[in-house]
Amino acid sequence: MIMTPLLHCSIAPLLLKRLKALGSLANNPFDKLRTGGTMEQWNSHRPGQALMEVVVAMGILVVFAAAFVRLVLGSYDTNLLSREHTVATHYAQEALEAIQSISQRGFDELNEGTYGIQILSGAYVLSGTGNTFEKYTRTVTVEETGRDEKTVTSVVSWPTKSGQEASVRLSTLLTHWRQSR
């Protein structure tokens, strides 16, 4: 059934009258406006409503502002941890490259144990039990895993802002390939 706008407009007031008689529209705040009342008359029957609207709006604003601040601070913490992880990975990779340099110079210099890395006379050498760079601590562990094979693990650890300790662990397998022939 297709309703014409004229028919639709003539049914709406009858429908509103019926619903009002049934009580479903009995205290409708828009009745005053529909019957020719002004906005001031409509608002005059609701003391304190404007104040409540302002309080609710401020509450919503505070919730969104708190969420935004939490997001910004969380982003800052994630960025800081990422930067620290990158620096630690650099130190760990540097140790593995130093160990490769030592093994190319003399595979027999790599004895089992935990070491630090130093540069003496322009060459890397194993020394001590670890290195400290600012807040980062690096250890290099050499393990013999087979005939003419050694596993080298570089671990860099540091304290995070939250007080926990984070670490990066990189490993490589070195072989004495010149000897294996």
PDB file of all heavy atoms in Angstrom, residues 25-53:
ATOM      1  N   LEU A  25       1.980   9.049  25.675  1.00  0.00           N
ATOM      2  CA  LEU A  25       2.637  10.333  25.458  1.00  0.00           C
ATOM      3  C   LEU A  25       2.251  11.325  26.541  1.00  0.00           C
ATOM      4  O   LEU A  25       2.331  12.519  26.368  1.00  0.00           O
ATOM      5  CB  LEU A  25       2.254  10.902  24.084  1.00  0.00           C
ATOM      6  CG  LEU A  25       2.815  10.167  22.882  1.00  0.00           C
ATOM      7  CD1 LEU A  25       2.318  10.805  21.608  1.00  0.00           C
ATOM      8  CD2 LEU A  25       4.317  10.147  22.906  1.00  0.00           C
ATOM      9  N   ALA A  26       1.798  10.859  27.668  1.00  0.00           N
ATOM     10  CA  ALA A  26       1.300  11.742  28.730  1.00  0.00           C
ATOM     11  C   ALA A  26       2.368  12.675  29.251  1.00  0.00           C
ATOM     12  O   ALA A  26       2.786  12.850  29.233  1.00  0.00           O
ATOM     13  CB  ALA A  26       0.770  10.942  29.905  1.00  0.00           C
ATOM     14  N   ASN A  27       3.143  13.102  29.518  1.00  0.00           N
ATOM     15  CA  ASN A  27       4.195  13.983  29.990  1.00  0.00           C
ATOM     16  C   ASN A  27       5.318  14.142  28.963  1.00  0.00           C
ATOM     17  O   ASN A  27       6.457  14.167  29.316  1.00  0.00           O
ATOM     18  CB  ASN A  27       4.767  13.505  31.319  1.00  0.00           C
ATOM     19  CG  ASN A  27       3.704  13.469  32.389  1.00  0.00           C
ATOM     20  OD1 ASN A  27       2.866  14.336  32.433  1.00  0.00           O
ATOM     21  ND2 ASN A  27       3.750  12.472  33.249  1.00  0.00           N
ATOM     22  N   ASN A  28       4.968  14.178  27.715  1.00  0.00           N
ATOM     23  CA  ASN A  28       5.971  14.370  26.681  1.00  0.00           C
ATOM     24  C   ASN A  28       6.484  15.811  26.739  1.00  0.00           C
ATOM     25  O   ASN A  28       5.697  16.739  26.644  1.00  0.00           O
ATOM     26  CB  ASN A  28       5.344  14.088  25.311  1.00  0.00           C
ATOM     27  CG  ASN A  28       6.358  14.138  24.192  1.00  0.00           C
ATOM     28  OD1 ASN A  28       7.465  14.637  24.374  1.00  0.00           O
ATOM     29  ND2 ASN A  28       5.973  13.633  23.035  1.00  0.00           N
ATOM     30  N   PRO A  29       7.789  16.026  26.925  1.00  0.00           N
ATOM     31  CA  PRO A  29       8.303  17.383  27.061  1.00  0.00           C
ATOM     32  C   PRO A  29       8.159  18.207  25.788  1.00  0.00           C
ATOM     33  O   PRO A  29       8.204  19.426  25.842  1.00  0.00           O
ATOM     34  CB  PRO A  29       9.782  17.181  27.390  1.00  0.00           C
ATOM     35  CG  PRO A  29      10.101  15.816  26.930  1.00  0.00           C
ATOM     36  CD  PRO A  29       8.835  15.018  27.042  1.00  0.00           C
ATOM     37  N   PHE A  30       7.921  17.586  24.657  1.00  0.00           N
ATOM     38  CA  PHE A  30       7.798  18.331  23.415  1.00  0.00           C
ATOM     39  C   PHE A  30       6.355  18.791  23.161  1.00  0.00           C
ATOM     40  O   PHE A  30       6.099  19.485  22.199  1.00  0.00           O
ATOM     41  CB  PHE A  30       8.312  17.494  22.238  1.00  0.00           C
ATOM     42  CG  PHE A  30       9.778  17.222  22.323  1.00  0.00           C
ATOM     43  CD1 PHE A  30      10.249  15.981  22.708  1.00  0.00           C
ATOM     44  CD2 PHE A  30      10.694  18.227  22.051  1.00  0.00           C
ATOM     45  CE1 PHE A  30      11.600  15.747  22.794  1.00  0.00           C
ATOM     46  CE2 PHE A  30      12.043  17.989  22.135  1.00  0.00           C
ATOM     47  CZ  PHE A  30      12.508  16.749  22.521  1.00  0.00           C
ATOM     48  N   ASP A  31       5.416  18.402  24.011  1.00  0.00           N
ATOM     49  CA  ASP A  31       4.033  18.840  23.842  1.00  0.00           C
ATOM     50  C   ASP A  31       3.922  20.355  23.844  1.00  0.00           C
ATOM     51  O   ASP A  31       3.186  20.931  23.064  1.00  0.00           O
ATOM     52  CB  ASP A  31       3.137  18.264  24.938  1.00  0.00           C
ATOM     53  CG  ASP A  31       2.703  16.850  24.603  1.00  0.00           C
ATOM     54  OD1 ASP A  31       2.932  16.431  23.454  1.00  0.00           O
ATOM     55  OD2 ASP A  31       2.146  16.180  25.495  1.00  0.00           O
ATOM     56  N   LYS A  32       4.642  21.013  24.733  1.00  0.00           N
ATOM     57  CA  LYS A  32       4.567  22.473  24.826  1.00  0.00           C
ATOM     58  C   LYS A  32       5.029  23.100  23.507  1.00  0.00           C
ATOM     59  O   LYS A  32       4.434  24.052  23.033  1.00  0.00           O
ATOM     60  CB  LYS A  32       5.450  22.993  25.957  1.00  0.00           C
ATOM     61  CG  LYS A  32       4.926  22.688  27.313  1.00  0.00           C
ATOM     62  CD  LYS A  32       4.310  23.936  27.882  1.00  0.00           C
ATOM     63  CE  LYS A  32       3.967  23.661  29.331  1.00  0.00           C
ATOM     64  NZ  LYS A  32       2.677  24.173  29.651  1.00  0.00           N
ATOM     65  N   LEU A  33       6.111  22.561  22.945  1.00  0.00           N
ATOM     66  CA  LEU A  33       6.607  23.118  21.690  1.00  0.00           C
ATOM     67  C   LEU A  33       5.639  22.840  20.541  1.00  0.00           C
ATOM     68  O   LEU A  33       5.421  23.670  19.682  1.00  0.00           O
ATOM     69  CB  LEU A  33       7.983  22.533  21.364  1.00  0.00           C
ATOM     70  CG  LEU A  33       9.118  22.959  22.288  1.00  0.00           C
ATOM     71  CD1 LEU A  33      10.383  22.195  21.933  1.00  0.00           C
ATOM     72  CD2 LEU A  33       9.354  24.447  22.202  1.00  0.00           C
ATOM     73  N   ARG A  34       5.033  21.633  20.532  1.00  0.00           N
ATOM     74  CA  ARG A  34       4.126  21.257  19.473  1.00  0.00           C
ATOM     75  C   ARG A  34       2.839  22.087  19.517  1.00  0.00           C
ATOM     76  O   ARG A  34       2.231  22.368  18.507  1.00  0.00           O
ATOM     77  CB  ARG A  34       3.783  19.768  19.597  1.00  0.00           C
ATOM     78  CG  ARG A  34       3.739  19.094  18.265  1.00  0.00           C
ATOM     79  CD  ARG A  34       3.404  17.616  18.363  1.00  0.00           C
ATOM     80  NE  ARG A  34       4.576  16.847  18.742  1.00  0.00           N
ATOM     81  CZ  ARG A  34       4.674  16.127  19.856  1.00  0.00           C
ATOM     82  NH1 ARG A  34       3.678  16.070  20.691  1.00  0.00           N
ATOM     83  NH2 ARG A  34       5.751  15.460  20.119  1.00  0.00           N
ATOM     84  N   THR A  35       2.427  22.457  20.707  1.00  0.00           N
ATOM     85  CA  THR A  35       1.178  23.207  20.849  1.00  0.00           C
ATOM     86  C   THR A  35       1.402  24.707  20.840  1.00  0.00           C
ATOM     87  O   THR A  35       0.532  25.464  21.213  1.00  0.00           O
ATOM     88  CB  THR A  35       0.464  22.808  22.150  1.00  0.00           C
ATOM     89  OG1 THR A  35       1.332  23.078  23.231  1.00  0.00           O
ATOM     90  CG2 THR A  35       0.066  21.354  22.123  1.00  0.00           C
ATOM     91  N   GLY A  36       2.605  25.147  20.495  1.00  0.00           N
ATOM     92  CA  GLY A  36       2.846  26.573  20.351  1.00  0.00           C
ATOM     93  C   GLY A  36       3.587  27.192  21.511  1.00  0.00           C
ATOM     94  O   GLY A  36       3.797  28.390  21.521  1.00  0.00           O
ATOM     95  N   GLY A  37       3.995  26.422  22.508  1.00  0.00           N
ATOM     96  CA  GLY A  37       4.756  26.974  23.628  1.00  0.00           C
ATOM     97  C   GLY A  37       6.163  27.328  23.185  1.00  0.00           C
ATOM     98  O   GLY A  37       6.647  26.908  22.144  1.00  0.00           O
ATOM     99  N   THR A  38       6.832  28.133  23.944  1.00  0.00           N
ATOM    100  CA  THR A  38       8.197  28.530  23.598  1.00  0.00           C
ATOM    101  C   THR A  38       9.199  27.672  24.345  1.00  0.00           C
ATOM    102  O   THR A  38       8.852  26.971  25.291  1.00  0.00           O
ATOM    103  CB  THR A  38       8.423  30.003  23.981  1.00  0.00           C
ATOM    104  OG1 THR A  38       8.291  30.130  25.387  1.00  0.00           O
ATOM    105  CG2 THR A  38       7.438  30.918  23.280  1.00  0.00           C
ATOM    106  N   MET A  39      10.457  27.744  23.911  1.00  0.00           N
ATOM    107  CA  MET A  39      11.522  26.984  24.551  1.00  0.00           C
ATOM    108  C   MET A  39      11.691  27.423  26.007  1.00  0.00           C
ATOM    109  O   MET A  39      11.978  26.605  26.865  1.00  0.00           O
ATOM    110  CB  MET A  39      12.828  27.164  23.772  1.00  0.00           C
ATOM    111  CG  MET A  39      13.945  26.269  24.260  1.00  0.00           C
ATOM    112  SD  MET A  39      13.533  24.537  24.081  1.00  0.00           S
ATOM    113  CE  MET A  39      14.505  24.129  22.682  1.00  0.00           C
ATOM    114  N   GLU A  40      11.506  28.707  26.285  1.00  0.00           N
ATOM    115  CA  GLU A  40      11.643  29.195  27.661  1.00  0.00           C
ATOM    116  C   GLU A  40      10.590  28.560  28.563  1.00  0.00           C
ATOM    117  O   GLU A  40      10.864  28.201  29.697  1.00  0.00           O
ATOM    118  CB  GLU A  40      11.529  30.734  27.715  1.00  0.00           C
ATOM    119  CG  GLU A  40      12.706  31.473  27.121  1.00  0.00           C
ATOM    120  CD  GLU A  40      12.637  31.537  25.597  1.00  0.00           C
ATOM    121  OE1 GLU A  40      11.541  31.402  25.017  1.00  0.00           O
ATOM    122  OE2 GLU A  40      13.706  31.706  24.981  1.00  0.00           O
ATOM    123  N   GLN A  41       9.350  28.423  28.044  1.00  0.00           N
ATOM    124  CA  GLN A  41       8.304  27.782  28.834  1.00  0.00           C
ATOM    125  C   GLN A  41       8.645  26.317  29.078  1.00  0.00           C
ATOM    126  O   GLN A  41       8.427  25.790  30.157  1.00  0.00           O
ATOM    127  CB  GLN A  41       6.958  27.883  28.122  1.00  0.00           C
ATOM    128  CG  GLN A  41       6.376  29.271  28.080  1.00  0.00           C
ATOM    129  CD  GLN A  41       5.144  29.326  27.208  1.00  0.00           C
ATOM    130  OE1 GLN A  41       4.965  28.520  26.290  1.00  0.00           O
ATOM    131  NE2 GLN A  41       4.285  30.300  27.499  1.00  0.00           N
ATOM    132  N   TRP A  42       9.164  25.684  28.060  1.00  0.00           N
ATOM    133  CA  TRP A  42       9.499  24.266  28.201  1.00  0.00           C
ATOM    134  C   TRP A  42      10.603  24.080  29.233  1.00  0.00           C
ATOM    135  O   TRP A  42      10.547  23.209  30.073  1.00  0.00           O
ATOM    136  CB  TRP A  42       9.931  23.738  26.835  1.00  0.00           C
ATOM    137  CG  TRP A  42      10.255  22.281  26.840  1.00  0.00           C
ATOM    138  CD1 TRP A  42       9.407  21.268  27.069  1.00  0.00           C
ATOM    139  CD2 TRP A  42      11.524  21.696  26.607  1.00  0.00           C
ATOM    140  NE1 TRP A  42      10.040  20.075  26.998  1.00  0.00           N
ATOM    141  CE2 TRP A  42      11.369  20.308  26.708  1.00  0.00           C
ATOM    142  CE3 TRP A  42      12.792  22.205  26.304  1.00  0.00           C
ATOM    143  CZ2 TRP A  42      12.410  19.427  26.527  1.00  0.00           C
ATOM    144  CZ3 TRP A  42      13.818  21.314  26.121  1.00  0.00           C
ATOM    145  CH2 TRP A  42      13.626  19.948  26.237  1.00  0.00           C
ATOM    146  N   ASN A  43      11.670  24.921  29.171  1.00  0.00           N
ATOM    147  CA  ASN A  43      12.779  24.823  30.113  1.00  0.00           C
ATOM    148  C   ASN A  43      12.406  25.262  31.519  1.00  0.00           C
ATOM    149  O   ASN A  43      13.022  24.873  32.482  1.00  0.00           O
ATOM    150  CB  ASN A  43      13.967  25.655  29.632  1.00  0.00           C
ATOM    151  CG  ASN A  43      14.776  24.931  28.585  1.00  0.00           C
ATOM    152  OD1 ASN A  43      14.715  23.711  28.492  1.00  0.00           O
ATOM    153  ND2 ASN A  43      15.512  25.685  27.784  1.00  0.00           N
ATOM    154  N   SER A  44      11.401  26.106  31.658  1.00  0.00           N
ATOM    155  CA  SER A  44      11.043  26.599  32.980  1.00  0.00           C
ATOM    156  C   SER A  44      10.492  25.496  33.866  1.00  0.00           C
ATOM    157  O   SER A  44      10.472  25.639  35.079  1.00  0.00           O
ATOM    158  CB  SER A  44      10.027  27.742  32.858  1.00  0.00           C
ATOM    159  OG  SER A  44       8.796  27.224  32.384  1.00  0.00           O
ATOM    160  N   HIS A  45      10.065  24.395  33.304  1.00  0.00           N
ATOM    161  CA  HIS A  45       9.528  23.290  34.088  1.00  0.00           C
ATOM    162  C   HIS A  45      10.608  22.290  34.490  1.00  0.00           C
ATOM    163  O   HIS A  45      10.306  21.280  35.092  1.00  0.00           O
ATOM    164  CB  HIS A  45       8.422  22.580  33.301  1.00  0.00           C
ATOM    165  CG  HIS A  45       7.219  23.428  33.109  1.00  0.00           C
ATOM    166  ND1 HIS A  45       7.033  24.188  31.984  1.00  0.00           N
ATOM    167  CD2 HIS A  45       6.159  23.666  33.917  1.00  0.00           C
ATOM    168  CE1 HIS A  45       5.901  24.845  32.094  1.00  0.00           C
ATOM    169  NE2 HIS A  45       5.341  24.542  33.257  1.00  0.00           N
ATOM    170  N   ARG A  46      11.870  22.557  34.165  1.00  0.00           N
ATOM    171  CA  ARG A  46      12.964  21.635  34.477  1.00  0.00           C
ATOM    172  C   ARG A  46      14.090  22.388  35.176  1.00  0.00           C
ATOM    173  O   ARG A  46      15.130  22.633  34.584  1.00  0.00           O
ATOM    174  CB  ARG A  46      13.482  20.987  33.204  1.00  0.00           C
ATOM    175  CG  ARG A  46      12.399  20.247  32.452  1.00  0.00           C
ATOM    176  CD  ARG A  46      13.045  19.366  31.421  1.00  0.00           C
ATOM    177  NE  ARG A  46      12.070  18.573  30.731  1.00  0.00           N
ATOM    178  CZ  ARG A  46      11.548  17.443  31.192  1.00  0.00           C
ATOM    179  NH1 ARG A  46      11.899  16.995  32.357  1.00  0.00           N
ATOM    180  NH2 ARG A  46      10.679  16.774  30.476  1.00  0.00           N
ATOM    181  N   PRO A  47      13.927  22.737  36.439  1.00  0.00           N
ATOM    182  CA  PRO A  47      14.992  23.463  37.138  1.00  0.00           C
ATOM    183  C   PRO A  47      16.210  22.552  37.344  1.00  0.00           C
ATOM    184  O   PRO A  47      16.067  21.391  37.687  1.00  0.00           O
ATOM    185  CB  PRO A  47      14.353  23.849  38.469  1.00  0.00           C
ATOM    186  CG  PRO A  47      13.211  22.924  38.649  1.00  0.00           C
ATOM    187  CD  PRO A  47      12.767  22.500  37.282  1.00  0.00           C
ATOM    188  N   GLY A  48      17.396  23.087  37.084  1.00  0.00           N
ATOM    189  CA  GLY A  48      18.643  22.340  37.298  1.00  0.00           C
ATOM    190  C   GLY A  48      19.043  21.431  36.155  1.00  0.00           C
ATOM    191  O   GLY A  48      20.084  20.788  36.221  1.00  0.00           O
ATOM    192  N   GLN A  49      18.219  21.345  35.113  1.00  0.00           N
ATOM    193  CA  GLN A  49      18.554  20.445  34.018  1.00  0.00           C
ATOM    194  C   GLN A  49      19.809  20.908  33.285  1.00  0.00           C
ATOM    195  O   GLN A  49      20.655  20.094  32.928  1.00  0.00           O
ATOM    196  CB  GLN A  49      17.402  20.334  33.032  1.00  0.00           C
ATOM    197  CG  GLN A  49      17.720  19.367  31.891  1.00  0.00           C
ATOM    198  CD  GLN A  49      16.567  19.166  30.942  1.00  0.00           C
ATOM    199  OE1 GLN A  49      15.503  19.712  31.143  1.00  0.00           O
ATOM    200  NE2 GLN A  49      16.804  18.383  29.909  1.00  0.00           N
ATOM    201  N   ALA A  50      19.954  22.194  33.069  1.00  0.00           N
ATOM    202  CA  ALA A  50      21.138  22.711  32.380  1.00  0.00           C
ATOM    203  C   ALA A  50      22.395  22.404  33.179  1.00  0.00           C
ATOM    204  O   ALA A  50      23.433  22.036  32.620  1.00  0.00           O
ATOM    205  CB  ALA A  50      21.004  24.212  32.151  1.00  0.00           C
ATOM    206  N   LEU A  51      22.312  22.518  34.496  1.00  0.00           N
ATOM    207  CA  LEU A  51      23.463  22.203  35.351  1.00  0.00           C
ATOM    208  C   LEU A  51      23.829  20.724  35.236  1.00  0.00           C
ATOM    209  O   LEU A  51      25.003  20.375  35.133  1.00  0.00           O
ATOM    210  CB  LEU A  51      23.153  22.569  36.807  1.00  0.00           C
ATOM    211  CG  LEU A  51      24.261  22.276  37.815  1.00  0.00           C
ATOM    212  CD1 LEU A  51      25.504  23.090  37.469  1.00  0.00           C
ATOM    213  CD2 LEU A  51      23.795  22.578  39.214  1.00  0.00           C
ATOM    214  N   MET A  52      22.825  19.860  35.208  1.00  0.00           N
ATOM    215  CA  MET A  52      23.087  18.422  35.067  1.00  0.00           C
ATOM    216  C   MET A  52      23.732  18.112  33.720  1.00  0.00           C
ATOM    217  O   MET A  52      24.631  17.282  33.630  1.00  0.00           O
ATOM    218  CB  MET A  52      21.783  17.625  35.215  1.00  0.00           C
ATOM    219  CG  MET A  52      21.383  17.387  36.654  1.00  0.00           C
ATOM    220  SD  MET A  52      22.686  16.563  37.592  1.00  0.00           S
ATOM    221  CE  MET A  52      22.669  14.949  36.872  1.00  0.00           C
ATOM    222  N   GLU A  53      23.276  18.786  32.670  1.00  0.00           N
ATOM    223  CA  GLU A  53      23.863  18.568  31.350  1.00  0.00           C
ATOM    224  C   GLU A  53      25.322  18.975  31.330  1.00  0.00           C
ATOM    225  O   GLU A  53      26.161  18.278  30.750  1.00  0.00           O
ATOM    226  CB  GLU A  53      23.081  19.335  30.290  1.00  0.00           C
ATOM    227  CG  GLU A  53      21.701  18.766  30.027  1.00  0.00           C
ATOM    228  CD  GLU A  53      20.868  19.627  29.096  1.00  0.00           C
ATOM    229  OE1 GLU A  53      21.328  20.738  28.737  1.00  0.00           O
ATOM    230  OE2 GLU A  53      19.775  19.186  28.727  1.00  0.00           O
TER     231      GLU A  53
END
